[in-house]
Amino acid sequence: MAAKEKILIIGSQGQIGTELLEHLRKLYGLDNVVASDVKELSREELSSCGIYETLNILDAKRLHEIVKKHTIKQVYLLAALLSATAEKNPGFAWELNMNGLFNVLDMAKEGLLSKIYWPSSIAAFGSTTPKQNTPQFTIMEPNTVYGISKQAGERWCEYYFNKYKVDVRSLRYPGLISWKSAPGGGTTDYAIHIFHEAIKTGSYNCFLSENTVLPMMYMPDAIKATVNIMQADASKIKIRSSYNLAGFSFSPREIANEIKKHIPSFKITYTPDFRQAIADSWPQSIDDSKAQADWDWKPIFDLEKVTIDMLTNLRNQKD
Ligand code: SER
């Protein structure tokens, strides 16, 4: 980057925000990355959190204040309601996911920001999308509120780029697996809960059925992709809606078998709930050749490596 451009992370206390904040501060320096979240932090949390601002992304006035106060030039907008939570509160999910995005896009349109990162998701696809090796450009008829908000968001990002030259960049994240921070209300969260429960109780009751294959990615790869797309020269970003991004795919049965290699007594049971229908509408694997070609994307982790890393880190965290 233009090394001194200041960054604001919106949603810094969430699953992605926590790790992205840590990573960007290492890259660009503590004072160049401002954290913000809707969460009011305690005095103790504040003392160890670096520069932090409380921000409800629906409050455009407060967003302006923060951007001005810290001379922010780049925004990573991670605040959103995920798929499962959004189904329980569709009106609010739509408002938060869309108006939050507009508040940031409009600041860039006014010339106040130079670059924006906004995540899309595999949820932007739907049950009429080809499920295997889902292409970058394909049928997209999402049937969850979250997915509809991501698909609409993609269209708006491209529109702001074409119409107003807003430099907005985006990735369609698969399910993200991480140990540093808890996931928040997604359908792919089972792939994190399963590790916690394997260590804690030796068994897991999965809310998806055993053969439900979904595309997933380990958080370090997601952070790497996010930083790579944001650092890439603008001329390399040929897709301004959102890039397909792939790690690896597996089913609950397959991840359970991988865990059994390390915890032989591990038991999994299946009690699918409303999240099964969400998972069934999503792709099983993703073709990310455009990301590979345009800005040299390549993931590092596969299921075997992730299983070892998750179990090791969660055990250390517990000790
Ligand atoms: N991981 C998200 C979810 O399950 C998908 O982007 O909602």
Side-chain angles (χ1 to χ4, degrees):
M1 116 176 150
K4 296 294 172 229
E5 281 201 348
K6 281 214 183 171
I7 294 171
L8 175 67
I9 300 188
I10 300 171
S12 64
Q13 305 308 105
Q15 189 197 3
I16 303 170
T18 308
E19 299 207 28
L20 191 64
L21 178 66
E22 192 183 303
H23 191 83
L24 292 182
R25 281 185 170 161
K26 265 189 210 141
L27 272 180
Y28 302 126
L30 208 66
D31 294 341
N32 286 322
V33 187
V34 175
S36 74
D37 200 284
V38 72
K39 219 174 131 192
E40 299 271 356
L41 298 192
S42 66
R43 204 174 296 169
E44 201 189 336
E45 285 169 319
L46 277 173
S47 66
S48 61
C49 176
I51 311 171
Y52 181 84
E53 298 282 0
T54 308
L55 171 66
N56 175 346
I57 187 53
L58 294 176
D59 186 347
K61 196 166 151 261
R62 173 95 179 112
L63 174 65
H64 269 78
E65 273 167 23
I66 293 170
V67 165
K68 227 173 132 188
K69 176 175 165 193
H70 296 282
T71 55
I72 299 294
K73 283 288 158 203
Q74 300 189 12
V75 169
Y76 290 70
L77 171 55
L78 305 171
L81 239 55
L82 292 190
S83 60
T85 320
E87 287 311 296
K88 295 192 170 149
N89 200 344
F92 177 63
W94 179 253
E95 190 192 350
L96 181 77
N97 293 4
M98 295 313 298
N99 291 343
L101 175 60
F102 280 125
N103 284 344
V104 176
L105 286 174
D106 282 334
M107 285 201 73
K109 178 184 160 189
E110 289 166 32
L112 296 167
L113 302 172
S114 67
K115 222 189 266 186
I116 297 170
Y117 179 77
W118 174 80
S120 185
S121 157
I122 51 165
F125 299 111
S127 44
T128 49
T129 302
K131 280 201 180 307
Q132 306 299 338
N133 224 14
T134 301
Q136 174 70 42
F137 303 109
T138 185
I139 302 169
M140 296 174 84
E141 295 185 315
N143 58 13
T144 62
V145 187
Y146 175 69
I148 298 169
S149 76
K150 288 300 179 189
Q151 219 245 332
E154 287 189 11
R155 297 288 88 227
W156 280 111
C157 286
E158 193 184 271
Y159 184 87
Y160 270 66
F161 172 76
N162 286 334
K163 200 95 177 174
Y164 311 120
K165 298 277 160 278
V166 168
D167 188 354
V168 54
R169 303 168 183 211
S170 177
L171 300 170
R172 289 173 183 153
Y173 289 133
L176 297 180
I177 304 175
S178 64
W179 58 270
K180 287 190 185 170
S181 51
T187 301
T188 55
D189 292 6
Y190 92 84
I192 299 175
H193 298 153
I194 195 170
F195 287 108
H196 286 268
E197 291 303 310
I199 290 173
K200 217 165 83 191
T201 66
S203 66
Y204 179 61
N205 184 22
C206 187
F207 57 75
L208 297 182
S209 64
E210 63 180 324
N211 293 321
T212 310
V213 174
L214 287 170
M216 301 274 186
M217 177 173 284
Y218 202 33
M219 188 61 87
D221 274 333
I223 299 292
K224 186 173 80 141
T226 307
V227 171
N228 285 0
I229 193 174
M230 284 298 271
Q231 286 182 335
D233 196 88
S235 62
K236 290 196 166 184
I237 311 300
K238 306 230 164 57
I239 293 169
R240 292 294 182 157
S241 50
S242 192
Y243 276 93
N244 274 8
L245 193 69
F248 48 96
S249 296
F250 57 82
S251 65
R253 187 169 47 82
E254 284 163 334
I255 191 173
N257 286 341
E258 202 56 44
I259 291 173
K260 275 184 206 162
K261 289 184 190 166
H262 306 273
I263 307 175
S265 59
F266 177 67
K267 296 241 160 357
I268 184 163
T269 50
Y270 305 93
T271 313
D273 65 14
F274 73 101
R275 289 168 280 194
Q276 184 66 46
I278 300 178
D280 287 341
S281 76
W282 289 352
Q284 296 188 343
S285 60
I286 301 288
D287 170 7
D288 65 357
S289 50
K290 297 274 181 212
Q292 292 176 33
D294 290 358
W295 43 274
D296 302 325
W297 159 245
K298 200 173 184 301
I300 292 170
F301 286 91
D302 57 18
L303 180 58
E304 206 181 317
K305 284 192 196 135
V306 170
T307 305
I308 294 170
D309 210 65
M310 283 294 284
L311 291 174
T312 310
N313 282 301
L314 288 177
R315 277 182 179 133
N316 290 343
Q317 208 174 39
K318 223 172 125 246
D319 295 338

